[in-house]
Amino acid sequence: MHLFETETGDQWVCITCIKEQEEMIQEKQWEWILERPDQVLRCSLCGHPDYDFED
């Protein structure tokens, strides 16, 4: 999960949404802060974690 500084505050974004929303992220000039591999975190755009692991 990647943390971005945005105009509305910090937002976690999953790797899928980063690829799908790359143009919007660049257009709005979101600043990348850090990456954290944590399944508890949810994407602020789609609401899902980075990966879904099967039990």
Side-chain angles (χ1 to χ4, degrees), residues 15-43:
I15 58 173
T16 304
C17 286
I18 287 174
K19 291 177 185 174
E20 292 175 355
Q21 301 295 325
E22 183 177 3
E23 187 175 311
M24 182 272 300
I25 290 170
Q26 291 177 356
E27 183 179 295
K28 291 188 175 188
Q29 298 178 340
W30 287 8
E31 184 178 338
W32 181 83
I33 299 174
L34 62 92
E35 178 181 357
R36 179 174 293 168
D38 187 339
Q39 288 303 309
V40 176
L41 298 173
R42 296 292 183 249
C43 178

